[in-house]
Amino acid sequence: MSATPYRTPVVSKVKLETILNMYRRGMRTDNRDLYSPRNLNVQVGVIEKANGSALVKLGNTQVIVGIKLGIGRPFEDTPNEGVLQVNSELVPMASPLFEPGPPDENAVELSRVVDRSLRDPKAVDLGSLVIRPGEKAWVLWIDIYVLDYDGNYFDASMLGVMAALMNTRVPDYEESESGEIIIKKDSPGTPLKLNKRVVLVTTAKIGNYIVVDPNLDEEALAESRLVLAFDEQGTVVGAQKTGSGAYSVDEFYRAVEISRSAAQVYFKLLDSALQKNQGG
Amino acid sequence: MTSESKRYVVVPGEKVSVTKAPEGPYIYEFQGEKRVSVVGLVDSKPEETSFIPIKGFYVPREGDVIIGLVTSHGASNWFVDINSPYQAVLSIYDFFGVRQGGTLPDDPFNYLHVGDFIKARIVTFDRIRNPILTVQDKELGRIVNGTVITVKPAKVPRIIGRKGSMLETLRQGTGCDFFVAVNGRIHIVCANEALQEIAVMAIEMIESQSHTTGLTERVKRFIEEERKVRGV
Amino acid sequence: MKQRPEKFFDEHGNRLDGRQRDEMRPVDINIGVLSNADGSALVSYGKTKVIAAVYGPREPTWRYNVLPDRASLYVRYHMAPFSTEERKSPAPTRREIELSKVIRESLEPVVMTELFPRTAIEIYVEVLQSDGGTRTASITAASAALADAGIPMRALVGGVAIGKVDGVLVLDLNEVEDNFGEADMPVAAAPDLGLITLFQLNGVMTLDELKEGTDMALKAIERIVEKEKQALRESATEVEAL
């Protein structure tokens, strides 16, 4: 069951006016134009106990992603592939709007949008994660933890997932005589094989405007949001319209075009953030 | 800062001997000794030693003029977020000044909406019931022009500055009117939108850089430069 | 699962991670790491890493639990799925429920809840990496986050766990010492007031060992709370420029 949200923040009318007045002149309250995302900061390897991890700051939105590899069984219909599992938590520390408890519809939506945007374009080479076809395979757990929510956890989460996947190493293992797989702890392992990189681009529709990477105020004011997944070639590899509003066909195509350009900005931001992280 | 004055930060549980502290739970006694309960600044001067809390939230006090955001309404009152632990209440009878001879319209909630800001005074507050507001005074009521921004209440002293110096810099630099409410909300009225944006950015700059020295001078330069860039 | 080590001390009497028996791991405290929360702190004891966020006092969202004479404290201690050696299911375990309770009760003696009747103070702790001593690191983080939120407190609280391995008491036990040792004794205290606010023992100790361990813990907590104070002072120096 899904119900109309009842705990929505009240945004003052003067703030709405200020925001729309600034849009009219191509500006936003946090010092950027309509189509630019916020600053991106990425730290990788923040959780030594995970096989891959990243802490991402997109403006004030903070997301930590941890990747764990465990031994499991391939799905019956894909005996030659490892298992991809995506889980997200909108933990109550992140926002007064988040409540403790099992993942709600928003957390589940986030998990599933990230999951299919990775799965369908085969972003992770799941074939490389099979150990014994039909019997043993690596289970790749991607856990997304939204720590501080200032709008747009979709884009921040996927940037974190990408940074963490690029930083993931598959542990070495050996087989015992009885056929058990024994993971070698503290082994160097091998880098996880990725086929392609993917980003999510969220745009919000506020009045007649489409803006990229909405902050919390903008999300509260938005009639609706469009989340599009792109690979580096600009192919659309996933999509989700989210929010109670609707798009006219013209608005929709405009949002798609705007998002497609923004995707390339995200790839560049991710590369430079990772470079900075390496240098530091 | 004068040479004979000494300032230092104290944290909860530490002993202090102060002669002056604002009203509130900031100083308490434990086994006959005074201790502080929040992070704050001790300012020790020959004539007196005072304590200024520097972390914390707004606790309503009777008589305070605050800026509130209307968040919902009941049968005969509005609920108002006053940036504090307690939600405030404004009665429709007060809003229309019924006791002062005003009349109550049939559709009172069409005159003040969710999302509106009001400037109001706290009439009663005893922690048992929610704070009660009044708008029956000059300068009080619905805010109809300019903009309102919210800052951490603990930053209010920095925005006002020593003896009002920072506020004066803002006023002179932008020509705008500023009303800084104790609950961390600031009402800004400017001649035009560009000036208003500069004023808002200047306050955000003060809030985010409040730990740095020479801020007044930098705020002044920032306003001058922004005005040049925007040609206002 | 890691293996039980044959011995917990090397020939020089040092522990497996090189520490002496009464030596803490490096303690790091960062205040104000989150923008939404009213107060927050990131605390690490060696590889153990926890983050605490405080909201409130605010009118409770769970309307049914309003206390007429004081604020109610809500604590949720929760481990991130990637915080442990094997992935942990995010559903709360019995352990997490108990720890949430003892963490709350370790803070209640110092928080001046009587000042804010009918409100809720919510404390959310997330263990980002677990390497022993997560509950005591959580208490230190929660105390720092409460102070950062400006919630009146009689004093700051800190915590540390004492262990017993190979029959010897050790300070601030790590995961291996916790998993395979003979005892785990987490303690929290408010040194400024001389109050013990958390005491648990999982294992067996003689009365002398219990006393010696408690003394060892209280001395270490003094140093931990000193670090907490230092971090809070640094986060507050901004106003000195006023």
Side-chain angles (χ1 to χ4, degrees):
Chain A
M1 194 173 71
S2 178
T4 305
Y6 65 99
R7 286 186 76 190
T8 48
V10 175
V11 180
S12 70
K13 286 199 247 167
V14 289
K15 200 169 224 172
L16 174 63
E17 278 164 34
T18 306
I19 286 173
L20 289 176
N21 281 335
M22 289 186 85
Y23 286 175
R24 229 160 271 147
R25 284 177 291 126
M27 296 160 72
R28 290 162 86 175
T29 49
D30 49 8
N31 249 329
R32 50 182 172 144
D33 62 41
L34 304 194
Y35 307 134
S36 292
R38 293 168 286 181
N39 288 333
L40 178 69
N41 209 300
V42 181
Q43 262 178 281
V44 296
V46 287
I47 306 296
E48 297 99 320
K49 287 201 170 186
N51 301 98
S53 62
L55 172 68
V56 161
K57 290 185 197 177
L58 184 59
N60 277 334
T61 292
Q62 285 191 63
V63 177
I64 192 163
V65 176
I67 294 181
K68 286 265 181 198
L69 282 148
I71 306 287
R73 221 186 148 78
F75 288 126
E76 283 193 9
D77 51 346
T78 52
N80 293 311
E81 289 186 0
V83 177
L84 174 68
Q85 297 273 20
V86 181
N87 172 63
S88 17
E89 304 275 321
L90 303 176
V91 289
M93 77 165 42
S95 163
L97 304 169
F98 296 170
E99 300 207 22
D104 66 357
E105 60 179 24
N106 293 311
V108 170
E109 179 187 40
L110 172 60
S111 303
R112 289 177 54 86
V113 170
V114 169
D115 183 295
R116 52 180 181 261
S117 305
L118 291 174
R119 196 178 297 275
D120 298 333
K122 303 187 171 21
V124 180
D125 180 4
L126 292 178
S128 70
L129 293 180
V130 72
I131 296 172
R132 215 181 297 142
E135 279 182 51
K136 299 267 180 205
W138 288 105
V139 181
L140 181 75
W141 276 102
I142 300 179
D143 279 292
I144 298 167
Y145 235 57
V146 178
L147 291 178
D148 203 356
Y149 170 54
D150 190 30
N152 194 11
Y153 47 62
F154 282 103
D155 300 8
S157 297
M158 190 56 116
L159 290 162
V161 168
M162 276 300 129
L165 285 173
M166 289 164 72
N167 158 256
T168 297
R169 298 185 79 86
V170 184
D172 301 328
Y173 62 88
E174 52 195 23
E175 295 191 40
S176 74
E177 279 172 31
S178 60
E180 277 305 292
I181 305 295
I182 297 152
I183 298 175
K184 287 196 198 161
K185 291 277 172 211
D186 307 317
S187 60
T190 48
L192 176 71
K193 286 196 183 114
L194 295 181
N195 292 324
K196 56 171 64 176
R197 302 197 298 176
V198 173
V199 289
L200 292 180
V201 181
T202 300
T203 52
K205 180 191 154 192
I206 301 168
N208 297 316
Y209 298 94
I210 303 285
V211 298
V212 170
D213 178 25
N215 63 32
L216 190 59
D217 285 334
E218 291 174 326
E219 271 193 13
L221 292 169
E223 293 152 55
S224 201
R225 282 175 284 156
L226 188 63
V227 186
L228 292 170
F230 292 93
D231 65 11
E232 283 172 276
Q233 283 70 51
T235 313
V236 185
V237 297
Q240 183 93 338
K241 179 236 142 193
T242 183
S244 303
Y247 286 86
S248 73
V249 177
D250 279 354
E251 284 169 341
F252 176 75
Y253 287 133
R254 196 149 57 87
V256 172
E257 285 305 322
I258 290 166
S259 304
R260 195 165 185 267
S261 319
Q264 298 311 312
V265 178
Y266 272 139
F267 283 118
K268 283 202 194 96
L269 282 176
L270 181 60
D271 280 332
S272 67
L274 287 172
Q275 235 159 28
K276 219 184 281 169
N277 187 232
Q278 231 109 65
Chain B
M1 202 193 281
T2 54
S3 57
E4 59 270 35
S5 126
K6 214 175 87 198
R7 300 175 138 229
Y8 55 94
V9 177
V10 288
V11 301
E14 290 187 320
K15 294 175 197 167
V16 282
S17 50
V18 293
T19 51
K20 201 180 117 197
E23 205 186 309
Y26 307 118
I27 310 282
Y28 76 100
E29 274 197 19
F30 179 76
Q31 294 175 346
E33 286 170 318
K34 279 185 183 164
R35 292 171 189 256
V36 293
S37 67
V38 294
V39 178
L41 196 62
V42 171
D43 190 359
S44 175
K45 289 183 193 136
E47 64 277 16
E48 63 176 24
T49 300
S50 58
F51 176 75
I52 311 150
I54 52 183
K55 296 224 178 189
F57 39 91
Y58 171 65
V59 181
R61 277 183 317 181
E62 291 179 5
D64 279 357
V65 174
I66 52 85
I67 293 174
L69 175 66
V70 178
T71 56
S72 63
H73 67 77
S76 63
N77 53 267
W78 287 274
F79 292 106
V80 184
D81 162 28
I82 57 169
N83 203 24
S84 107
Y86 297 93
Q87 176 170 251
V89 174
L90 174 67
S91 147
I92 53 171
Y93 300 100
D94 181 89
F95 185 77
F96 293 102
V98 173
R99 251 208 293 173
Q100 289 78 8
T103 48
L104 197 61
D106 291 338
D107 53 348
F109 297 111
N110 277 335
Y111 293 80
L112 186 63
H113 293 107
V114 170
D116 279 338
F117 276 116
I118 55 166
K119 205 181 282 183
R121 201 175 56 239
I122 295 174
V123 190
T124 56
F125 177 59
D126 56 9
R127 288 171 205 254
I128 309 296
R129 276 153 302 174
N130 290 52
I132 309 286
L133 302 177
T134 178
V135 293
Q136 289 306 323
D137 216 335
K138 262 195 292 183
E139 317 272 304
L140 300 184
R142 189 165 77 90
I143 290 177
V144 292
N145 57 355
T147 194
V148 173
I149 63 167
T150 303
V151 299
K152 288 205 163 120
K155 304 273 184 180
V156 164
R158 194 72 174 109
I159 287 158
I160 294 171
R162 264 208 164 172
K163 300 194 171 101
S165 56
M166 186 66 90
L167 205 51
E168 201 45 42
T169 303
L170 289 169
R171 279 198 181 113
Q172 284 185 354
T174 61
C176 304
D177 263 347
F178 295 83
F179 175 81
V180 184
V182 281
N183 64 329
R185 292 229 172 90
I186 303 162
H187 180 208
I188 307 167
V189 183
C190 299
N192 57 52
E193 275 167 27
L195 283 171
Q196 179 178 304
E197 277 157 29
I198 297 171
V200 170
M201 286 196 294
I203 287 172
E204 280 166 358
M205 179 175 165
I206 300 167
E207 202 190 4
S208 66
Q209 302 181 15
S210 59
H211 53 289
T212 57
T213 49
L215 186 57
T216 316
E217 198 46 45
R218 258 180 299 132
V219 169
K220 194 171 158 187
R221 266 208 314 273
F222 169 81
I223 296 172
E224 282 167 7
E225 277 162 26
E226 285 294 316
R227 288 189 71 153
K228 242 181 256 161
V229 171
R230 291 160 198 247
V232 286
Chain C
M1 220 48 223
K2 280 197 174 143
Q3 297 262 304
R4 185 190 196 284
E6 261 174 55
K7 281 194 293 185
F8 283 98
F9 297 94
D10 66 13
E11 64 271 28
H12 309 292
N14 287 335
R15 290 152 76 180
L16 296 175
D17 55 12
R19 283 185 291 157
Q20 301 189 325
R21 61 181 282 263
D22 59 350
E23 191 180 337
M24 283 286 302
R25 291 172 289 181
V27 174
D28 202 37
I29 302 177
N30 266 295
I31 309 283
V33 292
L34 300 176
S35 63
N36 259 326
D38 297 318
S40 59
L42 176 65
V43 168
S44 59
Y45 290 5
K47 275 191 193 169
T48 287
K49 219 179 269 187
V50 304
I51 185 164
V54 169
Y55 284 93
R58 62 181 185 187
E59 297 200 10
T61 43
W62 302 277
R63 269 285 172 194
Y64 50 86
N65 203 354
V66 171
L67 299 175
D69 57 344
R70 63 203 145 101
S72 27
L73 226 56
Y74 287 86
V75 172
R76 185 176 98 136
Y77 163 96
H78 185 245
M79 297 181 90
F82 46 77
S83 65
T84 49
E85 207 68 52
E86 310 279 325
R87 179 181 184 272
K88 183 204 162 286
S89 156
T93 58
R94 285 157 58 89
R95 177 180 172 276
E96 284 166 302
I97 293 166
E98 185 208 340
L99 293 204
S100 300
K101 176 178 188 285
V102 297
I103 293 169
R104 172 175 60 74
E105 290 169 342
S106 76
L107 298 165
E108 272 174 333
V110 297
V111 179
M112 299 166 116
T113 52
E114 67 278 9
L115 297 171
F116 306 102
R118 299 183 304 112
T119 64
I121 297 167
E122 290 153 59
I123 302 170
Y124 297 111
V125 182
E126 293 290 342
V127 176
L128 299 178
Q129 182 154 267
S130 147
D131 192 33
T134 60
R135 89 193 66 184
T136 49
S138 297
I139 290 168
T140 305
S143 162
L146 282 164
D148 183 41
I151 291 173
M153 300 160 83
R154 278 174 268 276
L156 299 172
V157 177
V160 77
I162 299 293
K164 188 164 99 174
V165 290
D166 289 348
V168 178
L169 293 181
V170 292
L171 177 65
D172 182 27
L173 77 181
N174 62 30
E175 192 168 51
V176 176
E177 292 167 337
D178 183 9
N179 287 346
F180 304 107
E182 294 123 65
D184 169 20
M185 187 176 88
V187 181
D192 280 321
L193 309 180
L195 297 175
I196 294 171
T197 66
L198 167 105
F199 197 95
Q200 293 182 291
L201 172 63
N202 186 349
V204 179
M205 280 197 193
T206 65
L207 189 60
D208 283 344
E209 282 173 339
L210 186 118
K211 284 182 180 161
E212 191 198 332
T214 306
D215 277 350
M216 200 192 245
L218 292 177
K219 280 201 193 95
I221 290 169
E222 266 181 49
R223 296 201 300 274
I224 292 166
V225 169
E226 195 39 62
K227 284 229 165 180
E228 210 180 313
K229 289 182 176 177
Q230 195 51 43
L232 283 165
R233 277 191 208 108
E234 275 162 25
S235 78
T237 45
E238 51 191 73
V239 183
E240 281 193 288
L242 195 87

